[in-house]
Amino acid sequence: MLSVDGLRVRYGSLEVVKGISFSVREGEIVTIIGANGAGKSTTLRTLAGLLSPYQGTVMFRDRKIGGARPYNVAALGLRLVPEGRQLFPDHTVRENLELGAYLRLWRGERTGVAKDMEELFELFPQIRPRLDQRAGSLSGGEQQMVAIARALISQPRLLLMDEPSLGLAPMLIQSIFDALIKLRSRGLTILLVEQMAWLGLGVCDRGYILESGRFALEGSRDELLRHPRVLEAYLGKTPRS
Amino acid sequence: MRFLVQIVLSGIATGAIYGLVAVGYSVTYATMRVLNFGLGMWVMLGAMVGYTLHVTFGLNVLIAMLGMMTVLGGLGLLAERFTVLPFVRAGSDVWIMSTLAVGLLFINAAELLWGRNPLAIPPFLGKDPINFAGIGIYPQEILIVIVACAVMVALDVFYQYTLLGKAFRATASSTEVAGLMGINTRRIASLAYALAGCLAGFAGLLVAPVTLAEPQMGTILGLKAFAIAIIGGLEAGRGIFVCGLLYGVLEGLLSGYLYTGIRDIIGFTLMILVLFVRPNGLFGRRAEERA
Ligand SMILES: Nc1ncnc2c1ncn2[C@@H]1O[C@H](COP(=O)(O)OP(=O)(O)O)[C@@H](O)[C@H]1O
Ligand SMILES: [Mg+2]
């Protein structure tokens, strides 16, 4: 579904993503784990069309999308839930969801969108009572749920999530990740980026460890969870001998 | 007393015109941080094209209005594509010059096509003032106020209740995030530019029966409306329109009771004073209020 080959991204002359290759297959949850500043957001923003690659190719559903405009990428069914939620703060929650469904509503799928909205309220019951509030007035956890719902309502083929746990209390993180597990069971394809390794590795099928713009490790969830380097550097445990 | 009431009433009508044009500045500024510095000349072009359709071709005023807005909307799309986008894309500020240059081009074109002499457009609802308790009001002035307010309401309905309007506001809030929603922010930018041109042209055709249509009619008007847009706070549509109304009344009072020459300098004096006290304008939000 998504394949990235030799991707390099620069800010001016500063190279932040230094030649990474990876893929995401249909129905998988793939996670990229990395410390603050490793280049996770830069990678996702490039995939979503917000940044242009300096080198390398990005293929999504057999089309080259490296350097394409964000709205063209979105129209192909790739959705980014950006770091820090990035709701439209002065729009109501309902309007945020409508904007998530912008392309569908434009195609006249009003009833379909309304039906999917109901389903999303089952996944995130906290959203419904807030529908007519300004999105900016919601708590961080509620905003994250709206941000995810806003992406889901577009019926994405591939969901990119940039640190959904950022700045949230453990209880809320739990409910967000519970929702991710439900979404996985419905067959949604997700590329998840996390600083907190146990969270990211906990829900994924496969993972990559990003260090200073390069992959240090890659493997299945179990391989990574057992890898001494991951245990030590990312899970804070001393490796068992 | 009668004099005062009369001044206030025509001040409101003048102010409604200023308000419409000033809102035109804010439409493009809010969505893409670009201003059409030649917008006053779009006012003039609206009046001129309206003159041709309504007076020369004898079309019904409503049809002439629609036709004029189609012409100006089309020109707006073209102007954005060729005189704004290339510079914005290159990260250059040259659009400040190029938007003004388009306006100056309009003046030259108007002098060639319509001549330099003022052209009269008959008032849409008859010439004679309506007497109301001894006060004479021109029907065109009443029409201006009603229609301008209706346009503002329509604009509000567009922004608040239509999908495209919500996408305009989303693009104003964050072009990046709007793009992530699949909103073609490029198209929104050119539509906003066209909308601003239409608003200005609409104001021009509306006011032409009062002021006459001539190539320079929009020059000072455009500057005043710019001052009003700044005073109101560039992103605050409704606030800007209200400022326009107040400005028109103030201008009427000052030139009525002091002397006419003062008319054209109060705008920028006020603008500078307001910016001292509120750098984001009267209705604009401060940067820290935005988050
Ligand atoms: N707009 C920018 N301009 C210059 N450098 C940037 C910019 N954004 C991020 N960086 C730098 O790129 C590196 C990677 O950033 P980022 O992709 O946000 O990391 P992560 O999401 O993994 O924390 C950091 O060193 C950061 O300082
Ligand atoms: Mg990040």
Side-chain angles (χ1 to χ4, degrees), chain B residues 124-144:
Chain B
F124 306 149
L125 295 181
K127 277 188 177 51
D128 301 323
I130 301 168
N131 268 304
F132 195 79
I135 300 159
I137 311 168
Y138 288 101
Q140 185 73 21
E141 289 187 339
I142 301 174
L143 188 74
I144 286 174

Side-chain angles (χ1 to χ4, degrees), chain A residues 40-57:
Chain A
K40 304 183 298 296
S41 296
T42 304
T43 304
L44 290 198
R45 289 168 61 79
T46 308
L47 300 182
L50 296 174
L51 297 168
S52 285
Y54 170 70
Q55 241 182 38
T57 53

Side-chain angles (χ1 to χ4, degrees), chain A residues 41 83 162-163:
Chain A
S41 296
E83 185 175 270
D162 195 346
E163 296 206 48

Side-chain angles (χ1 to χ4, degrees), chain A residues 140-232:
Chain A
E142 290 165 343
Q143 290 197 16
Q144 187 60 266
M145 292 173 196
V146 175
I148 297 171
R150 182 178 68 173
L152 290 174
I153 193 93
S154 72
Q155 296 183 317
R157 308 281 184 123
L158 172 64
L159 190 68
L160 309 185
M161 303 187 76
D162 195 346
E163 296 206 48
S165 70
L166 194 74
L168 298 186
M171 279 265 297
L172 285 166
I173 295 179
Q174 195 54 54
S175 53
I176 300 272
F177 276 77
D178 284 348
L180 284 193
I181 290 168
K182 276 187 205 155
L183 292 171
R184 176 173 68 172
S185 68
R186 293 183 200 169
L188 183 65
T189 314
I190 303 177
L191 174 60
L192 168 73
V193 145
E194 261 299 338
Q195 212 177 124
M196 301 204 212
W198 72 92
L199 281 175
L201 293 177
V203 295
C204 75
D205 299 303
R206 292 186 301 119
Y208 298 83
I209 308 289
L210 186 67
E211 287 178 0
S212 311
R214 289 194 181 87
F215 285 146
L217 282 175
E218 59 177 276
S220 72
R221 162 200 152 111
D222 292 336
E223 282 164 0
L224 288 176
L225 281 170
R226 262 187 264 116
H227 198 283
R229 188 158 160 193
V230 176
L231 285 171
E232 193 170 8

Side-chain angles (χ1 to χ4, degrees), chain A residues 45 71 79 90 95 98, chain B residues 166 169 176 181 285:
Chain A
R45 289 168 61 79
Y71 41 86
R79 279 293 156 127
D90 293 328
E95 287 175 331
E98 283 171 2
Chain B
K166 289 171 193 176
R169 283 193 291 132
E176 269 197 358
M181 302 297 111
R285 285 188 293 172

Side-chain angles (χ1 to χ4, degrees), chain A residues 8-70:
Chain A
R8 292 169 181 270
V9 188
R10 294 183 165 187
Y11 294 109
S13 61
L14 176 74
E15 188 153 295
V16 166
V17 174
K18 300 167 185 165
I20 57 173
S21 304
F22 65 99
S23 63
V24 181
R25 289 186 290 266
E26 187 140 14
E28 265 188 328
I29 297 196
V30 173
T31 187
I32 298 178
I33 304 294
N36 195 12
K40 304 183 298 296
S41 296
T42 304
T43 304
L44 290 198
R45 289 168 61 79
T46 308
L47 300 182
L50 296 174
L51 297 168
S52 285
Y54 170 70
Q55 241 182 38
T57 53
V58 182
M59 299 286 290
F60 177 61
R61 298 174 62 205
D62 303 323
R63 285 194 187 77
K64 260 187 88 166
I65 58 163
R69 309 247 151 215

